[in-house]
Amino acid sequence: MHTDTDTHDLRHHGDAEVRDEKLTDLAVNVRADTPPDWLRERIARSLTGLAAYPDGRAARAAVAARHGLPVDRVLLTAGAAEAFVLLARALPVRRPVVVHPQFTEPEAALRDAGHEVRRVLLREEDGFRLDPAAVLEDADLVVVGNPTNPTSVLHPASVLARLARPGRTLVVDEAFIDAVPGEREALAGRTDVPGLVVLRSLTKTWGLAGLRIGYVLADRDTVAALERAQPLWPVSTPALAAAEACMSPAALAEAADAAHRIAADRAHLLAGLAEFEEVRAVAAAQGPFVLVRITGADAVRDRLRSLGFAARRGDTFPGLGPDWLRLAVRDRVTTNRFLQALDQALVMAGSAAKG
């Protein structure tokens, strides 16, 4: 268990890798070619109602129905990132634990709220898999991603449920689980796990990072506490329209189809990476991204940029170092182009090291 503040940049995000440059984007985990036309049209139609204050009742009801929950167990947020801030500020947390490597915003939000954060660092030699025994019994808030960003490891729901305790809030970030076929190991909709808080995002699958829409599923008291900490009208009318639309049966079927395509494209990427002796990928990947280890990854990443590809640096994630990169899963044509560029980048980086 680690409590120290180190040199990891918890505020670094993948969009910084592609900002202001025309690069093929493997740094950001938003699904390509999104939002689809039907969703853009639905959002555009909502603009005629901008003179009125946002009314989230229909969207909230749609989310509740999608997960089989009462409306008062649902809270809509301006992206999942807002939910981390609300949790850090609204709950009486004294001994928070964040399981790393994972998305860094939960820890950043907790630290900003004045909390001392303890870390559980999962290890490469264990396949970045979670042992619930690694979390101290006195933790009153535990945050874990599933599948975890950036490792792409999908933890069994039964393992995560073992983290639940009376008096503990268990936060499971499921921002990427709709990219997993069948949403295997999801806890969303479960009411039998004490203290469970599930976070979902519509950013990744539907390409809505600029719109900011996500939601929280939790017990009524927790939802009420988080809602009291929100500003008035935190979710815009266009974002509410998107949330309602993405809960429709047709949208859920489209997301399910996309998850199967992502799984096939990920297998293609992993097979290609396996051809390189210099590259070691986390083979258990189940999300729309892959974590790889390459000696001298910084130099390789720079060479990839010169060849037109952006990869996400891994050293900003606690538990990882400078030899790690995260790669978003793309279609096979893009992946084949990337693998050719990676071959060149490895040769160029190797020649530079020898020189």
Side-chain angles (χ1 to χ4, degrees), residues 265-308:
D265 290 339
R266 183 183 60 245
H268 181 69
L269 173 60
L270 287 170
L273 293 171
E275 297 296 318
F276 297 98
E277 292 183 359
E278 305 95 327
V279 179
R280 184 163 67 249
V282 178
Q286 294 293 314
F289 46 88
V290 172
L291 183 66
V292 298
R293 187 167 193 170
I294 307 171
T295 300
D298 277 348
V300 173
R301 176 171 153 270
D302 288 342
R303 302 296 183 184
L304 284 170
R305 293 183 72 82
S306 71
L307 295 168

Side-chain angles (χ1 to χ4, degrees), residues 8 33 56 67 75 109 142 147 156 160 165 169 187 230 245 269 323:
H8 292 89
D33 300 321
H67 292 288
L75 181 68
V142 178
L160 295 178
R165 302 281 190 282
T169 300
L187 289 172
Q230 277 187 311
L269 173 60
D323 287 343

Side-chain angles (χ1 to χ4, degrees), residues 1-2 97-101 118-122 130 134-136:
M1 186 77 65
H2 300 258
V97 167
V98 178
V99 178
H100 284 289
R118 294 178 292 181
R119 297 172 176 172
V120 170
L121 300 181
L122 306 186
L130 174 65
V135 178
L136 294 179

Side-chain angles (χ1 to χ4, degrees), residues 199-216:
L199 308 184
R200 288 284 183 109
S201 169
L202 301 179
T203 294
K204 319 303 180 185
T205 290
W206 297 111
L208 298 175
L211 198 59
R212 310 310 306 140
I213 179 64
Y215 54 89
V216 178

Side-chain angles (χ1 to χ4, degrees), residues 78-341:
E82 187 204 9
F84 293 124
V85 174
L86 296 176
L87 288 163
R89 294 179 178 177
L91 300 187
V93 177
R94 293 185 297 167
R95 296 175 298 277
V97 167
V98 178
V99 178
H100 284 289
Q102 80 146 5
F103 185 50
T104 53
E105 281 296 333
E107 178 168 331
L110 286 162
R111 290 188 182 279
D112 287 347
H115 299 292
E116 180 179 337
V117 179
R118 294 178 292 181
R119 297 172 176 172
V120 170
L121 300 181
L122 306 186
R123 305 187 307 166
E124 179 189 8
E125 51 266 43
D126 297 329
F128 295 108
R129 298 188 181 282
L130 174 65
D131 177 3
V135 178
L136 294 179
E137 284 292 324
D138 69 347
D140 59 359
L141 181 141
V142 178
V143 184
V144 61
N146 203 39
T148 302
N149 171 22
T151 65
S152 206
V153 170
L154 183 67
H155 304 290
S158 59
V159 170
L160 295 178
R162 285 167 53 195
L163 290 171
R165 302 281 190 282
R168 171 186 289 178
T169 300
L170 171 60
V171 180
V172 181
D173 177 8
E174 292 187 348
F176 294 101
I177 207 159
D178 56 356
V180 176
E183 296 194 357
R184 299 190 319 277
E185 313 304 341
L187 289 172
R190 292 273 297 270
T191 59
D192 60 326
V193 180
L196 177 65
V197 175
V198 173
L199 308 184
R200 288 284 183 109
S201 169
L202 301 179
T203 294
K204 319 303 180 185
T205 290
W206 297 111
L208 298 175
L211 198 59
R212 310 310 306 140
I213 179 64
Y215 54 89
V216 178
L217 307 175
D219 63 80
R220 295 173 176 84
D221 291 343
T222 298
V223 166
L226 300 181
E227 191 169 19
R228 286 193 296 271
Q230 277 187 311
L232 294 175
W233 308 290
V235 181
S236 70
T237 294
L240 293 169
E244 184 178 0
C246 291
M247 298 300 113
S248 71
L252 295 176
E254 183 175 323
D257 288 343
H260 286 286
R261 290 196 303 274
I262 288 168
D265 290 339
R266 183 183 60 245
H268 181 69
L269 173 60
L270 287 170
L273 293 171
E275 297 296 318
F276 297 98
E277 292 183 359
E278 305 95 327
V279 179
R280 184 163 67 249
V282 178
Q286 294 293 314
F289 46 88
V290 172
L291 183 66
V292 298
R293 187 167 193 170
I294 307 171
T295 300
D298 277 348
V300 173
R301 176 171 153 270
D302 288 342
R303 302 296 183 184
L304 284 170
R305 293 183 72 82
S306 71
L307 295 168
F309 288 86
R312 171 63 158 90
R313 58 189 282 200
D315 61 345
T316 63
F317 294 100
L320 300 182
D323 287 343
W324 293 93
L325 297 175
R326 190 192 68 197
L327 307 171
V329 172
R330 299 298 186 224
D331 63 89
R332 292 191 177 208
V333 172
T334 302
T335 293
N336 289 341
R337 289 176 43 236
F338 165 72
L339 292 170
Q340 292 174 349

